[in-house]
Amino acid sequence: MVLDVSVVRAACARVLPEYMVPSVIVVLDRIPLTPNGKVDRRALPEPAAEVVAGRGPRSPREEILCGLFAEVLGVSRVGIDDSFFELGGHSLLATRLVGRARSVLGVELSVRQLFEAPRVAELGRLLEGAGTGRAPVVAGVRPARLPLSFGQERLWFLHQLEGPSATYNVPMALRLSGSLDREALRAALGDVVARHESLRTVFAEDVEGGYQVVLGPKVEVPWAEASLEEADLSERLAERSAARVRPHGRYPGRATLFELGPDEHVLLLTCHHIATDGWSLKPLIRDLTAAYEAWMTAMVARDGRRCRCSMRIMRCGSGSCWVRRTIRRVGRASGRVLEGAAGRPAG
């Protein structure tokens, strides 16, 4: 029996909204299972969206939109009648596309509008009457009192409510196999912390409430070392991860290097959630690896000392200022609309 994929998609479209209809259907002889009888997701083939050449763009705006669709979806070409969701788009990619369209076209666009008009031709018509996009987030003059972001404000409130705890610790353990230069690793971690202001941001408070304080780039990361057996590793990792990290006053984290053998180590980094989150762990590992390699390979010709890794400082705080400015601007505009409506006669 040959399965007609188009018939399956048509049947789904009759009972599901367009964005929930599967964009790709892969036919398998059998579903791969794990020894426990569950679907083995790792053994499933990677679905590939089929791009069919359709109508090309008819205006500069449509040409830009086609390029943005292709860029976000990771395909070579998109026609103006191709649906974003049929080509593999989903809510996370939709958010990314909306952000790109705002910055490139300078128009205001919402994720909801993309769901309602998922094709370039439809979206192009919708954007003809769109308003000017919001001002972009740019680095500006930092105020003397740096406001908390709304996420940080929530953490600050919970810290006041619950007191010091390990609830918002973000631990990350890295297994390091092979010869390790501890001095270079510690210096590399210092370079990464110096580069990312968010990793050295702590709470402070005054009569107005909480605010951010960015510690200097030479702040020292608390560092400890211990030797132990592999059998004791899990228990010690859990113990160190559960030790509370204070989000105010000093560096909001610590590093512990466990030696399991001459060529086997585990580095445990524990930060407070004010300084990092789950999404940030991958860039953190990437930068730490780059900094360590730089310390190991770059040598000063005269005296053989390692060169300090040169990394551009990533500033934080602009986002929280931008969000609050935007909310104030929208609030003032809403107030003018309400004032105008209040002056009109009823009915």
Side-chain angles (χ1 to χ4, degrees), residues 66-147:
C66 285
L68 293 177
F69 270 52
E71 173 191 325
V72 172
L73 292 169
V75 297
S76 58
R77 183 176 180 275
V78 173
I80 64 173
D81 299 313
D82 296 329
S83 170
F84 178 77
F85 300 102
E86 289 180 7
L87 293 179
H90 48 72
S91 57
L92 294 178
L93 288 179
T95 303
R96 183 180 170 192
L97 176 61
V98 166
R100 293 286 291 126
R102 283 174 176 169
S103 61
V104 174
L105 294 173
V107 295
E108 188 55 44
L109 176 65
S110 67
V111 174
R112 179 176 180 175
Q113 288 174 311
L114 178 59
F115 275 93
E116 294 173 347
R119 295 172 176 81
V120 168
E122 300 168 342
L123 197 59
R125 287 193 297 269
L126 185 135
L127 292 180
E128 289 177 0
T132 304
R134 298 169 187 165
V137 181
V138 295
V141 178
R142 177 172 290 171
R145 185 183 186 278
L146 190 60

Side-chain angles (χ1 to χ4, degrees), residues 99-345:
R100 293 286 291 126
R102 283 174 176 169
S103 61
V104 174
L105 294 173
V107 295
E108 188 55 44
L109 176 65
S110 67
V111 174
R112 179 176 180 175
Q113 288 174 311
L114 178 59
F115 275 93
E116 294 173 347
R119 295 172 176 81
V120 168
E122 300 168 342
L123 197 59
R125 287 193 297 269
L126 185 135
L127 292 180
E128 289 177 0
T132 304
R134 298 169 187 165
V137 181
V138 295
V141 178
R142 177 172 290 171
R145 185 183 186 278
L146 190 60
L148 297 174
S149 68
F150 290 117
Q152 290 173 329
E153 205 166 56
R154 173 178 60 86
L155 291 173
W156 174 78
F157 172 79
L158 291 172
H159 180 71
Q160 301 298 310
L161 182 68
E162 300 174 356
S165 72
T167 304
Y168 291 98
N169 285 5
V170 181
M172 176 180 63
L174 302 175
R175 182 174 286 271
L176 310 171
S177 300
S179 177
L180 179 69
D181 187 320
R182 302 186 185 196
E183 180 187 350
L185 179 61
R186 189 172 183 181
L189 180 60
D191 283 346
V192 173
V193 170
R195 182 192 189 208
H196 294 277
E197 287 190 344
S198 61
L199 292 177
R200 43 189 170 89
T201 297
V202 295
F203 288 140
E205 57 182 291
D206 54 19
V207 293
E208 298 180 35
Y211 61 96
Q212 298 183 58
V213 173
V214 181
L215 303 178
K218 294 184 179 181
V219 61
E220 185 174 350
V221 180
W223 179 276
E225 297 181 10
S227 298
L228 48 84
E229 300 294 328
E230 180 79 41
D232 301 324
L233 178 61
S234 296
E235 182 180 349
R236 291 295 301 276
L237 287 175
E239 177 187 312
R240 289 294 291 168
S241 298
R244 66 189 185 189
V245 175
R246 295 182 179 275
H248 54 77
R250 53 185 181 180
Y251 182 73
R254 60 175 173 266
T256 306
L257 182 66
F258 295 106
E259 180 183 3
L260 307 178
D263 295 325
E264 199 70 25
H265 300 78
V266 172
L267 176 65
L268 175 64
L269 301 176
T270 308
C271 291
H272 193 275
H273 193 27
I274 184 181
T276 189
D277 55 21
W279 183 92
S280 304
L281 296 182
K282 184 178 290 186
L284 175 59
I285 295 173
R286 180 194 62 213
D287 282 2
L288 181 60
T289 301
Y292 179 73
E293 290 176 350
W295 274 90
M296 292 298 295
T297 59
M299 307 292 289
V300 177
R302 291 183 180 176
D303 55 11
R305 292 183 182 178
R306 296 183 182 88
C307 295
R308 186 168 182 82
C309 179
S310 176
M311 306 181 87
R312 184 169 62 91
I313 292 179
M314 307 297 288
R315 300 190 64 192
C316 67
S318 299
S320 60
C321 294
W322 175 86
V323 168
R324 293 179 183 276
R325 283 197 306 269
T326 301
I327 289 177
R328 286 197 297 268
R329 190 180 303 115
V330 172
R332 288 194 296 268
S334 300
R336 289 194 294 270
V337 171
L338 292 175
E339 289 174 4
R344 296 177 192 144

